[in-house]
Amino acid sequence: DTGVSQDPRHKITKRGQNVTFRCDPISEHNRLYWYRQTLGQGPEFLTYFQNEAQLEKSRLLSDRFSAERPKGSFSTLEIQRTEQGDSAMYLCASSTEVGWLAGVGETQYFGPGTRLLVL
Amino acid sequence: QQQVKQSPQSLIVQKGGISIINCAYENTAFDYFPWYQQFPGKGPALLIAIRPDVSEKKEGRFTISFNKSAKQFSLHIMDSQPGDSATYFCAARRSQGNLIFGKGTKLSVKP
């Protein structure tokens, strides 16, 4: 078990370019979340998948953002026409409802994040 | 509207002292309250968590106290160590599953 992995770890891009990030969850975790974290703030929810179905999207997820999880395993987050305000750490987390059903609680395991800088 | 309010924003504690971080929430539909620890350049890591039907949970030097009627919960770190220096986030889980985080507390433990 290697934990949640994210790629790339750092990305510098120019305003107006498109970027894509990848998240590989812990194997057998059917839930996958994307969060965004800016400096000095807590993570903010962007979107959530259960298996391959995207069940919820935050109002923070503008139409320039799209996320996919085509086979219910890894996920990608794409930002089109990046803006300087998109500069942030993009975090992925995965979980399984097994703990929740057992009364323990749903632990979300976070990856190391992708730090995006838009110039 | 900030649904989870965390205080203090920063905290300095001497080695061996007790660190206390407080959080308050508004939505009574929250059903799970984790605390995460984050080091610079890393993702948040779960420290300890509690469900609202429990008033206290202890794991090693870390304790969560939960007051359902006041809609408040707190993290106590006993015998604080320099290695505990990090940013701590409280969070609350919505029924749909995503977490709502506080703004974080930067803890510095002085040797």
Side-chain angles (χ1 to χ4, degrees):
Chain A
D1 182 2
T2 58
V4 178
S5 61
Q6 293 187 243
D7 184 71
R9 295 291 310 277
H10 303 273
K11 179 70 177 179
I12 300 174
T13 191
K14 294 182 178 179
R15 187 177 55 183
Q17 297 295 304
N18 299 344
V19 294
T20 300
F21 310 141
R22 176 179 170 125
C23 170
D24 286 89
I26 294 171
S27 59
E28 298 178 0
H29 277 193
N30 62 336
R31 293 182 174 183
L32 188 148
Y33 301 82
W34 285 99
Y35 292 84
R36 181 176 71 183
Q37 185 177 26
T38 53
L39 203 61
Q41 301 294 317
E44 295 176 292
F45 169 70
L46 292 178
T47 190
Y48 151 52
F49 291 85
Q50 180 150 320
N51 300 311
E52 64 275 9
Q54 188 173 18
L55 296 187
E56 189 175 1
K57 293 191 288 186
S58 162
R59 56 183 169 79
L60 292 176
L61 210 69
S62 76
D63 55 7
R64 296 185 298 107
F65 288 69
S66 62
E68 294 182 344
R69 195 183 183 198
K71 298 182 179 179
S73 56
F74 74 91
S75 176
T76 58
L77 177 68
E78 180 183 15
I79 309 175
Q80 296 182 328
R81 305 181 304 281
T82 53
E83 302 173 354
Q84 289 183 326
D86 297 331
S87 296
M89 172 84 88
Y90 290 84
L91 293 162
C92 175
S94 71
S95 71
T96 172
E97 70 271 25
V98 170
W100 185 257
L101 295 173
V104 176
E106 179 191 346
T107 298
Q108 294 187 19
Y109 296 88
F110 282 81
T114 295
R115 184 168 293 282
L116 172 66
L117 178 61
V118 182
L119 301 176
Chain B
Q1 183 183 12
Q2 187 183 351
Q3 297 191 54
V4 178
K5 295 183 180 180
Q6 183 172 347
S7 63
Q9 187 174 355
S10 62
L11 182 61
I12 299 174
V13 174
Q14 291 295 318
K15 179 182 175 181
I18 302 174
S19 304
I20 302 174
I21 305 171
N22 300 299
C23 282
Y25 64 96
E26 299 168 357
N27 189 339
T28 56
F30 291 149
D31 56 11
Y32 175 65
F33 301 86
W35 284 89
Y36 281 83
Q37 178 189 58
Q38 187 175 30
F39 292 102
K42 306 290 186 182
L46 180 71
L47 199 59
I48 188 172
I50 198 168
R51 293 185 64 155
D53 52 350
V54 176
S55 61
E56 185 175 280
K57 184 175 181 180
K58 183 176 181 179
E59 290 183 0
R61 296 185 295 110
F62 302 94
T63 300
I64 298 179
S65 297
F66 189 85
N67 186 329
K68 188 174 181 178
S69 61
K71 293 188 285 187
Q72 295 175 345
F73 59 111
S74 60
L75 174 69
H76 291 63
I77 305 175
M78 311 299 287
D79 187 26
S80 299
Q81 299 297 312
D84 296 330
S85 297
T87 300
Y88 293 80
F89 293 95
C90 63
R93 179 187 183 272
R94 295 174 61 224
S95 57
Q96 291 87 344
N98 66 281
L99 297 173
I100 307 294
F101 284 84
K103 290 192 173 184
T105 296
K106 186 173 182 180
L107 172 65
S108 296
V109 182
K110 300 299 184 185

